[in-house]
PDB file of all heavy atoms in Angstrom:
ATOM      1  N   HIS B   1      71.848   1.814  62.512  1.00  0.00           N
ATOM      2  CA  HIS B   1      72.001   2.701  63.670  1.00  0.00           C
ATOM      3  C   HIS B   1      72.515   1.953  64.899  1.00  0.00           C
ATOM      4  O   HIS B   1      72.864   2.567  65.895  1.00  0.00           O
ATOM      5  CB  HIS B   1      70.671   3.390  63.975  1.00  0.00           C
ATOM      6  CG  HIS B   1      70.293   4.403  62.933  1.00  0.00           C
ATOM      7  ND1 HIS B   1      69.030   4.931  62.829  1.00  0.00           N
ATOM      8  CD2 HIS B   1      71.019   4.970  61.939  1.00  0.00           C
ATOM      9  CE1 HIS B   1      68.994   5.781  61.808  1.00  0.00           C
ATOM     10  NE2 HIS B   1      70.193   5.811  61.255  1.00  0.00           N
ATOM     11  N   LYS B   2      72.568   0.617  64.808  1.00  0.00           N
ATOM     12  CA  LYS B   2      73.119  -0.199  65.893  1.00  0.00           C
ATOM     13  C   LYS B   2      74.496  -0.741  65.504  1.00  0.00           C
ATOM     14  O   LYS B   2      74.965  -1.722  66.066  1.00  0.00           O
ATOM     15  CB  LYS B   2      72.172  -1.363  66.203  1.00  0.00           C
ATOM     16  CG  LYS B   2      70.783  -0.924  66.678  1.00  0.00           C
ATOM     17  CD  LYS B   2      69.860  -2.115  66.857  1.00  0.00           C
ATOM     18  CE  LYS B   2      68.464  -1.667  67.281  1.00  0.00           C
ATOM     19  NZ  LYS B   2      67.517  -2.807  67.385  1.00  0.00           N
ATOM     20  N   ASN B   3      75.109  -0.101  64.550  1.00  0.00           N
ATOM     21  CA  ASN B   3      76.404  -0.518  64.013  1.00  0.00           C
ATOM     22  C   ASN B   3      77.402  -0.871  65.129  1.00  0.00           C
ATOM     23  O   ASN B   3      77.789  -0.011  65.920  1.00  0.00           O
ATOM     24  CB  ASN B   3      76.971   0.625  63.164  1.00  0.00           C
ATOM     25  CG  ASN B   3      78.252   0.240  62.436  1.00  0.00           C
ATOM     26  OD1 ASN B   3      78.807  -0.822  62.648  1.00  0.00           O
ATOM     27  ND2 ASN B   3      78.708   1.131  61.566  1.00  0.00           N
ATOM     28  N   PRO B   4      77.836  -2.151  65.208  1.00  0.00           N
ATOM     29  CA  PRO B   4      78.741  -2.558  66.287  1.00  0.00           C
ATOM     30  C   PRO B   4      80.207  -2.216  66.022  1.00  0.00           C
ATOM     31  O   PRO B   4      81.038  -2.327  66.914  1.00  0.00           O
ATOM     32  CB  PRO B   4      78.555  -4.084  66.318  1.00  0.00           C
ATOM     33  CG  PRO B   4      78.274  -4.424  64.891  1.00  0.00           C
ATOM     34  CD  PRO B   4      77.450  -3.274  64.353  1.00  0.00           C
ATOM     35  N   ASP B   5      80.528  -1.812  64.785  1.00  0.00           N
ATOM     36  CA  ASP B   5      81.933  -1.589  64.424  1.00  0.00           C
ATOM     37  C   ASP B   5      82.048  -0.453  63.411  1.00  0.00           C
ATOM     38  O   ASP B   5      82.391  -0.671  62.235  1.00  0.00           O
ATOM     39  CB  ASP B   5      82.512  -2.887  63.850  1.00  0.00           C
ATOM     40  CG  ASP B   5      84.012  -2.824  63.636  1.00  0.00           C
ATOM     41  OD1 ASP B   5      84.638  -1.853  64.100  1.00  0.00           O
ATOM     42  OD2 ASP B   5      84.550  -3.750  62.998  1.00  0.00           O
ATOM     43  N   PRO B   6      81.768   0.793  63.833  1.00  0.00           N
ATOM     44  CA  PRO B   6      81.754   1.931  62.906  1.00  0.00           C
ATOM     45  C   PRO B   6      83.046   2.131  62.129  1.00  0.00           C
ATOM     46  O   PRO B   6      83.024   2.644  61.009  1.00  0.00           O
ATOM     47  CB  PRO B   6      81.487   3.130  63.833  1.00  0.00           C
ATOM     48  CG  PRO B   6      80.804   2.540  65.021  1.00  0.00           C
ATOM     49  CD  PRO B   6      81.434   1.193  65.203  1.00  0.00           C
ATOM     50  N   GLU B   7      84.178   1.730  62.692  1.00  0.00           N
ATOM     51  CA  GLU B   7      85.454   1.937  62.015  1.00  0.00           C
ATOM     52  C   GLU B   7      85.589   1.073  60.758  1.00  0.00           C
ATOM     53  O   GLU B   7      86.298   1.432  59.818  1.00  0.00           O
ATOM     54  CB  GLU B   7      86.614   1.646  62.967  1.00  0.00           C
ATOM     55  CG  GLU B   7      86.766   2.692  64.074  1.00  0.00           C
ATOM     56  CD  GLU B   7      88.029   2.481  64.878  1.00  0.00           C
ATOM     57  OE1 GLU B   7      88.846   1.626  64.474  1.00  0.00           O
ATOM     58  OE2 GLU B   7      88.201   3.156  65.904  1.00  0.00           O
ATOM     59  N   ASN B   8      84.903  -0.066  60.757  1.00  0.00           N
ATOM     60  CA  ASN B   8      85.027  -0.991  59.625  1.00  0.00           C
ATOM     61  C   ASN B   8      83.738  -1.181  58.841  1.00  0.00           C
ATOM     62  O   ASN B   8      83.757  -1.801  57.772  1.00  0.00           O
ATOM     63  CB  ASN B   8      85.511  -2.350  60.136  1.00  0.00           C
ATOM     64  CG  ASN B   8      86.914  -2.272  60.712  1.00  0.00           C
ATOM     65  OD1 ASN B   8      87.850  -1.871  60.035  1.00  0.00           O
ATOM     66  ND2 ASN B   8      87.060  -2.639  61.977  1.00  0.00           N
ATOM     67  N   ILE B   9      82.627  -0.671  59.369  1.00  0.00           N
ATOM     68  CA  ILE B   9      81.344  -0.772  58.665  1.00  0.00           C
ATOM     69  C   ILE B   9      80.883   0.659  58.383  1.00  0.00           C
ATOM     70  O   ILE B   9      80.326   1.323  59.260  1.00  0.00           O
ATOM     71  CB  ILE B   9      80.294  -1.518  59.501  1.00  0.00           C
ATOM     72  CG1 ILE B   9      80.820  -2.894  59.920  1.00  0.00           C
ATOM     73  CG2 ILE B   9      78.992  -1.673  58.710  1.00  0.00           C
ATOM     74  CD1 ILE B   9      79.910  -3.644  60.881  1.00  0.00           C
ATOM     75  N   PRO B  10      81.122   1.170  57.172  1.00  0.00           N
ATOM     76  CA  PRO B  10      80.865   2.593  56.865  1.00  0.00           C
ATOM     77  C   PRO B  10      79.387   2.903  56.613  1.00  0.00           C
ATOM     78  O   PRO B  10      78.990   3.236  55.488  1.00  0.00           O
ATOM     79  CB  PRO B  10      81.719   2.809  55.619  1.00  0.00           C
ATOM     80  CG  PRO B  10      81.668   1.483  54.916  1.00  0.00           C
ATOM     81  CD  PRO B  10      81.708   0.457  56.025  1.00  0.00           C
ATOM     82  N   CYS B  11      78.591   2.825  57.654  1.00  0.00           N
ATOM     83  CA  CYS B  11      77.153   3.053  57.512  1.00  0.00           C
ATOM     84  C   CYS B  11      76.818   4.470  57.039  1.00  0.00           C
ATOM     85  O   CYS B  11      75.730   4.703  56.499  1.00  0.00           O
ATOM     86  CB  CYS B  11      76.450   2.780  58.841  1.00  0.00           C
ATOM     87  SG  CYS B  11      76.492   1.043  59.320  1.00  0.00           S
ATOM     88  N   PHE B  12      77.738   5.385  57.234  1.00  0.00           N
ATOM     89  CA  PHE B  12      77.484   6.769  56.805  1.00  0.00           C
ATOM     90  C   PHE B  12      77.375   6.874  55.288  1.00  0.00           C
ATOM     91  O   PHE B  12      76.903   7.886  54.765  1.00  0.00           O
ATOM     92  CB  PHE B  12      78.578   7.703  57.336  1.00  0.00           C
ATOM     93  CG  PHE B  12      79.952   7.436  56.767  1.00  0.00           C
ATOM     94  CD1 PHE B  12      80.364   8.056  55.597  1.00  0.00           C
ATOM     95  CD2 PHE B  12      80.830   6.570  57.404  1.00  0.00           C
ATOM     96  CE1 PHE B  12      81.624   7.827  55.062  1.00  0.00           C
ATOM     97  CE2 PHE B  12      82.094   6.321  56.882  1.00  0.00           C
ATOM     98  CZ  PHE B  12      82.498   6.953  55.710  1.00  0.00           C
ATOM     99  N   ARG B  13      77.797   5.844  54.566  1.00  0.00           N
ATOM    100  CA  ARG B  13      77.704   5.855  53.105  1.00  0.00           C
ATOM    101  C   ARG B  13      76.325   5.422  52.593  1.00  0.00           C
ATOM    102  O   ARG B  13      76.126   5.296  51.388  1.00  0.00           O
ATOM    103  CB  ARG B  13      78.777   4.935  52.509  1.00  0.00           C
ATOM    104  CG  ARG B  13      80.204   5.410  52.740  1.00  0.00           C
ATOM    105  CD  ARG B  13      81.223   4.435  52.188  1.00  0.00           C
ATOM    106  NE  ARG B  13      82.590   4.836  52.546  1.00  0.00           N
ATOM    107  CZ  ARG B  13      83.625   4.005  52.567  1.00  0.00           C
ATOM    108  NH1 ARG B  13      83.452   2.736  52.239  1.00  0.00           N
ATOM    109  NH2 ARG B  13      84.823   4.447  52.911  1.00  0.00           N
ATOM    110  N   VAL B  14      75.384   5.191  53.505  1.00  0.00           N
ATOM    111  CA  VAL B  14      74.037   4.758  53.108  1.00  0.00           C
ATOM    112  C   VAL B  14      73.060   5.924  53.260  1.00  0.00           C
ATOM    113  O   VAL B  14      73.022   6.585  54.299  1.00  0.00           O
ATOM    114  CB  VAL B  14      73.569   3.564  53.959  1.00  0.00           C
ATOM    115  CG1 VAL B  14      72.206   3.069  53.465  1.00  0.00           C
ATOM    116  CG2 VAL B  14      74.588   2.425  53.890  1.00  0.00           C
ATOM    117  N   VAL B  15      72.285   6.171  52.210  1.00  0.00           N
ATOM    118  CA  VAL B  15      71.308   7.265  52.193  1.00  0.00           C
ATOM    119  C   VAL B  15      69.964   6.711  51.721  1.00  0.00           C
ATOM    120  O   VAL B  15      69.873   5.560  51.282  1.00  0.00           O
ATOM    121  CB  VAL B  15      71.765   8.410  51.264  1.00  0.00           C
ATOM    122  CG1 VAL B  15      73.078   9.017  51.757  1.00  0.00           C
ATOM    123  CG2 VAL B  15      71.935   7.893  49.827  1.00  0.00           C
ATOM    124  N   ASN B  16      68.927   7.536  51.784  1.00  0.00           N
ATOM    125  CA  ASN B  16      67.635   7.031  51.318  1.00  0.00           C
ATOM    126  C   ASN B  16      67.518   7.137  49.796  1.00  0.00           C
ATOM    127  O   ASN B  16      68.441   7.585  49.113  1.00  0.00           O
ATOM    128  CB  ASN B  16      66.471   7.721  52.047  1.00  0.00           C
ATOM    129  CG  ASN B  16      66.269   9.168  51.634  1.00  0.00           C
ATOM    130  OD1 ASN B  16      66.794   9.646  50.628  1.00  0.00           O
ATOM    131  ND2 ASN B  16      65.501   9.888  52.436  1.00  0.00           N
ATOM    132  N   SER B  17      66.368   6.733  49.274  1.00  0.00           N
ATOM    133  CA  SER B  17      66.196   6.641  47.817  1.00  0.00           C
ATOM    134  C   SER B  17      66.249   7.995  47.113  1.00  0.00           C
ATOM    135  O   SER B  17      66.397   8.071  45.897  1.00  0.00           O
ATOM    136  CB  SER B  17      64.872   5.951  47.493  1.00  0.00           C
ATOM    137  OG  SER B  17      63.781   6.680  48.040  1.00  0.00           O
ATOM    138  N   LYS B  18      66.153   9.096  47.904  1.00  0.00           N
ATOM    139  CA  LYS B  18      66.247  10.440  47.336  1.00  0.00           C
ATOM    140  C   LYS B  18      67.637  11.037  47.515  1.00  0.00           C
ATOM    141  O   LYS B  18      67.876  12.183  47.144  1.00  0.00           O
ATOM    142  CB  LYS B  18      65.211  11.347  47.995  1.00  0.00           C
ATOM    143  CG  LYS B  18      63.768  10.920  47.758  1.00  0.00           C
ATOM    144  CD  LYS B  18      62.806  11.854  48.473  1.00  0.00           C
ATOM    145  CE  LYS B  18      61.358  11.417  48.277  1.00  0.00           C
ATOM    146  NZ  LYS B  18      60.405  12.313  48.994  1.00  0.00           N
ATOM    147  N   GLY B  19      68.509  10.270  48.143  1.00  0.00           N
ATOM    148  CA  GLY B  19      69.860  10.775  48.402  1.00  0.00           C
ATOM    149  C   GLY B  19      69.962  11.547  49.698  1.00  0.00           C
ATOM    150  O   GLY B  19      71.003  12.145  49.989  1.00  0.00           O
ATOM    151  N   GLU B  20      68.894  11.523  50.504  1.00  0.00           N
ATOM    152  CA  GLU B  20      68.884  12.285  51.752  1.00  0.00           C
ATOM    153  C   GLU B  20      69.632  11.545  52.856  1.00  0.00           C
ATOM    154  O   GLU B  20      69.596  10.313  52.941  1.00  0.00           O
ATOM    155  CB  GLU B  20      67.439  12.543  52.185  1.00  0.00           C
ATOM    156  CG  GLU B  20      66.663  13.415  51.212  1.00  0.00           C
ATOM    157  CD  GLU B  20      65.172  13.463  51.519  1.00  0.00           C
ATOM    158  OE1 GLU B  20      64.665  12.536  52.197  1.00  0.00           O
ATOM    159  OE2 GLU B  20      64.513  14.411  51.065  1.00  0.00           O
ATOM    160  N   LEU B  21      70.289  12.328  53.721  1.00  0.00           N
ATOM    161  CA  LEU B  21      71.049  11.761  54.824  1.00  0.00           C
ATOM    162  C   LEU B  21      70.125  11.371  55.971  1.00  0.00           C
ATOM    163  O   LEU B  21      68.937  11.698  55.981  1.00  0.00           O
ATOM    164  CB  LEU B  21      72.088  12.770  55.319  1.00  0.00           C
ATOM    165  CG  LEU B  21      73.029  13.382  54.279  1.00  0.00           C
ATOM    166  CD1 LEU B  21      74.167  14.117  54.988  1.00  0.00           C
ATOM    167  CD2 LEU B  21      73.580  12.328  53.329  1.00  0.00           C
ATOM    168  N   SER B  22      70.693  10.659  56.947  1.00  0.00           N
ATOM    169  CA  SER B  22      69.919  10.213  58.112  1.00  0.00           C
ATOM    170  C   SER B  22      69.688  11.362  59.078  1.00  0.00           C
ATOM    171  O   SER B  22      70.133  12.486  58.858  1.00  0.00           O
ATOM    172  CB  SER B  22      70.656   9.075  58.815  1.00  0.00           C
ATOM    173  OG  SER B  22      70.802   7.965  57.965  1.00  0.00           O
ATOM    174  N   GLY B  23      69.010  11.049  60.181  1.00  0.00           N
ATOM    175  CA  GLY B  23      68.721  12.046  61.203  1.00  0.00           C
ATOM    176  C   GLY B  23      69.979  12.679  61.763  1.00  0.00           C
ATOM    177  O   GLY B  23      71.086  12.130  61.658  1.00  0.00           O
ATOM    178  N   ALA B  24      69.812  13.812  62.376  1.00  0.00           N
ATOM    179  CA  ALA B  24      70.937  14.636  62.826  1.00  0.00           C
ATOM    180  C   ALA B  24      71.940  13.902  63.708  1.00  0.00           C
ATOM    181  O   ALA B  24      73.132  14.148  63.627  1.00  0.00           O
ATOM    182  CB  ALA B  24      70.406  15.868  63.552  1.00  0.00           C
ATOM    183  N   PHE B  25      71.449  13.008  64.566  1.00  0.00           N
ATOM    184  CA  PHE B  25      72.357  12.401  65.538  1.00  0.00           C
ATOM    185  C   PHE B  25      72.583  10.914  65.287  1.00  0.00           C
ATOM    186  O   PHE B  25      73.035  10.188  66.152  1.00  0.00           O
ATOM    187  CB  PHE B  25      71.831  12.625  66.954  1.00  0.00           C
ATOM    188  CG  PHE B  25      71.793  14.077  67.331  1.00  0.00           C
ATOM    189  CD1 PHE B  25      70.624  14.814  67.193  1.00  0.00           C
ATOM    190  CD2 PHE B  25      72.926  14.724  67.773  1.00  0.00           C
ATOM    191  CE1 PHE B  25      70.586  16.169  67.520  1.00  0.00           C
ATOM    192  CE2 PHE B  25      72.904  16.072  68.097  1.00  0.00           C
ATOM    193  CZ  PHE B  25      71.732  16.799  67.968  1.00  0.00           C
ATOM    194  N   ALA B  26      72.282  10.462  64.082  1.00  0.00           N
ATOM    195  CA  ALA B  26      72.420   9.042  63.775  1.00  0.00           C
ATOM    196  C   ALA B  26      73.868   8.564  63.836  1.00  0.00           C
ATOM    197  O   ALA B  26      74.134   7.411  64.106  1.00  0.00           O
ATOM    198  CB  ALA B  26      71.833   8.745  62.399  1.00  0.00           C
ATOM    199  N   PHE B  27      74.822   9.467  63.618  1.00  0.00           N
ATOM    200  CA  PHE B  27      76.226   9.059  63.580  1.00  0.00           C
ATOM    201  C   PHE B  27      77.063   9.776  64.641  1.00  0.00           C
ATOM    202  O   PHE B  27      78.258   9.972  64.459  1.00  0.00           O
ATOM    203  CB  PHE B  27      76.793   9.291  62.179  1.00  0.00           C
ATOM    204  CG  PHE B  27      76.123   8.455  61.129  1.00  0.00           C
ATOM    205  CD1 PHE B  27      75.028   8.939  60.431  1.00  0.00           C
ATOM    206  CD2 PHE B  27      76.542   7.162  60.887  1.00  0.00           C
ATOM    207  CE1 PHE B  27      74.388   8.159  59.482  1.00  0.00           C
ATOM    208  CE2 PHE B  27      75.909   6.369  59.943  1.00  0.00           C
ATOM    209  CZ  PHE B  27      74.824   6.866  59.240  1.00  0.00           C
ATOM    210  N   GLY B  28      76.411  10.174  65.715  1.00  0.00           N
ATOM    211  CA  GLY B  28      77.151  10.727  66.839  1.00  0.00           C
ATOM    212  C   GLY B  28      77.158  12.236  66.938  1.00  0.00           C
ATOM    213  O   GLY B  28      77.877  12.784  67.761  1.00  0.00           O
ATOM    214  N   GLY B  29      76.363  12.921  66.135  1.00  0.00           N
ATOM    215  CA  GLY B  29      76.313  14.371  66.245  1.00  0.00           C
ATOM    216  C   GLY B  29      75.690  15.009  65.017  1.00  0.00           C
ATOM    217  O   GLY B  29      75.647  14.404  63.945  1.00  0.00           O
ATOM    218  N   ALA B  30      75.213  16.213  65.188  1.00  0.00           N
ATOM    219  CA  ALA B  30      74.603  16.955  64.087  1.00  0.00           C
ATOM    220  C   ALA B  30      75.612  17.115  62.949  1.00  0.00           C
ATOM    221  O   ALA B  30      76.778  17.452  63.180  1.00  0.00           O
ATOM    222  CB  ALA B  30      74.120  18.314  64.578  1.00  0.00           C
ATOM    223  N   ASN B  31      75.171  16.818  61.737  1.00  0.00           N
ATOM    224  CA  ASN B  31      75.984  16.958  60.526  1.00  0.00           C
ATOM    225  C   ASN B  31      77.155  15.992  60.430  1.00  0.00           C
ATOM    226  O   ASN B  31      77.995  16.123  59.546  1.00  0.00           O
ATOM    227  CB  ASN B  31      76.526  18.394  60.395  1.00  0.00           C
ATOM    228  CG  ASN B  31      75.416  19.422  60.333  1.00  0.00           C
ATOM    229  OD1 ASN B  31      74.405  19.225  59.653  1.00  0.00           O
ATOM    230  ND2 ASN B  31      75.592  20.516  61.060  1.00  0.00           N
ATOM    231  N   ARG B  32      77.211  15.025  61.337  1.00  0.00           N
ATOM    232  CA  ARG B  32      78.356  14.105  61.326  1.00  0.00           C
ATOM    233  C   ARG B  32      78.407  13.278  60.047  1.00  0.00           C
ATOM    234  O   ARG B  32      79.488  13.082  59.472  1.00  0.00           O
ATOM    235  CB  ARG B  32      78.301  13.182  62.550  1.00  0.00           C
ATOM    236  CG  ARG B  32      79.483  12.224  62.664  1.00  0.00           C
ATOM    237  CD  ARG B  32      80.802  12.963  62.709  1.00  0.00           C
ATOM    238  NE  ARG B  32      81.933  12.062  62.854  1.00  0.00           N
ATOM    239  CZ  ARG B  32      83.180  12.363  62.519  1.00  0.00           C
ATOM    240  NH1 ARG B  32      83.466  13.555  62.012  1.00  0.00           N
ATOM    241  NH2 ARG B  32      84.150  11.488  62.679  1.00  0.00           N
ATOM    242  N   GLN B  33      77.249  12.803  59.579  1.00  0.00           N
ATOM    243  CA  GLN B  33      77.246  12.011  58.351  1.00  0.00           C
ATOM    244  C   GLN B  33      77.744  12.844  57.168  1.00  0.00           C
ATOM    245  O   GLN B  33      78.528  12.374  56.354  1.00  0.00           O
ATOM    246  CB  GLN B  33      75.847  11.454  58.050  1.00  0.00           C
ATOM    247  CG  GLN B  33      75.816  10.525  56.840  1.00  0.00           C
ATOM    248  CD  GLN B  33      74.449   9.940  56.568  1.00  0.00           C
ATOM    249  OE1 GLN B  33      73.444  10.383  57.116  1.00  0.00           O
ATOM    250  NE2 GLN B  33      74.389   8.931  55.709  1.00  0.00           N
ATOM    251  N   ALA B  34      77.295  14.087  57.114  1.00  0.00           N
ATOM    252  CA  ALA B  34      77.736  14.981  56.033  1.00  0.00           C
ATOM    253  C   ALA B  34      79.247  15.200  56.095  1.00  0.00           C
ATOM    254  O   ALA B  34      79.931  15.223  55.058  1.00  0.00           O
ATOM    255  CB  ALA B  34      77.005  16.307  56.127  1.00  0.00           C
ATOM    256  N   GLU B  35      79.774  15.331  57.299  1.00  0.00           N
ATOM    257  CA  GLU B  35      81.214  15.541  57.464  1.00  0.00           C
ATOM    258  C   GLU B  35      82.003  14.328  56.976  1.00  0.00           C
ATOM    259  O   GLU B  35      83.027  14.469  56.292  1.00  0.00           O
ATOM    260  CB  GLU B  35      81.540  15.814  58.933  1.00  0.00           C
ATOM    261  CG  GLU B  35      81.016  17.148  59.453  1.00  0.00           C
ATOM    262  CD  GLU B  35      81.193  17.286  60.958  1.00  0.00           C
ATOM    263  OE1 GLU B  35      81.701  16.317  61.579  1.00  0.00           O
ATOM    264  OE2 GLU B  35      80.810  18.335  61.507  1.00  0.00           O
ATOM    265  N   LEU B  36      81.523  13.139  57.326  1.00  0.00           N
ATOM    266  CA  LEU B  36      82.213  11.910  56.934  1.00  0.00           C
ATOM    267  C   LEU B  36      82.185  11.730  55.411  1.00  0.00           C
ATOM    268  O   LEU B  36      83.180  11.339  54.804  1.00  0.00           O
ATOM    269  CB  LEU B  36      81.574  10.703  57.626  1.00  0.00           C
ATOM    270  CG  LEU B  36      81.789  10.622  59.143  1.00  0.00           C
ATOM    271  CD1 LEU B  36      80.872   9.558  59.753  1.00  0.00           C
ATOM    272  CD2 LEU B  36      83.241  10.302  59.464  1.00  0.00           C
ATOM    273  N   LEU B  37      81.037  12.035  54.809  1.00  0.00           N
ATOM    274  CA  LEU B  37      80.924  11.915  53.355  1.00  0.00           C
ATOM    275  C   LEU B  37      81.793  12.960  52.654  1.00  0.00           C
ATOM    276  O   LEU B  37      82.496  12.663  51.676  1.00  0.00           O
ATOM    277  CB  LEU B  37      79.462  12.064  52.929  1.00  0.00           C
ATOM    278  CG  LEU B  37      78.550  10.875  53.254  1.00  0.00           C
ATOM    279  CD1 LEU B  37      77.093  11.225  52.981  1.00  0.00           C
ATOM    280  CD2 LEU B  37      78.960   9.636  52.457  1.00  0.00           C
ATOM    281  N   SER B  38      81.761  14.164  53.173  1.00  0.00           N
ATOM    282  CA  SER B  38      82.558  15.237  52.573  1.00  0.00           C
ATOM    283  C   SER B  38      84.051  14.919  52.616  1.00  0.00           C
ATOM    284  O   SER B  38      84.793  15.247  51.686  1.00  0.00           O
ATOM    285  CB  SER B  38      82.289  16.560  53.300  1.00  0.00           C
ATOM    286  OG  SER B  38      80.942  16.960  53.125  1.00  0.00           O
TER     287      SER B  38
END
């Protein structure tokens, strides 16, 4: 969540052990991680 270089470090590709995404605003907005993965 302190990713210094989001363009080159794809943290959105990391999920928990159940496959669940991070909190709503972890990547700059609600559903942003889902959008990036999709």
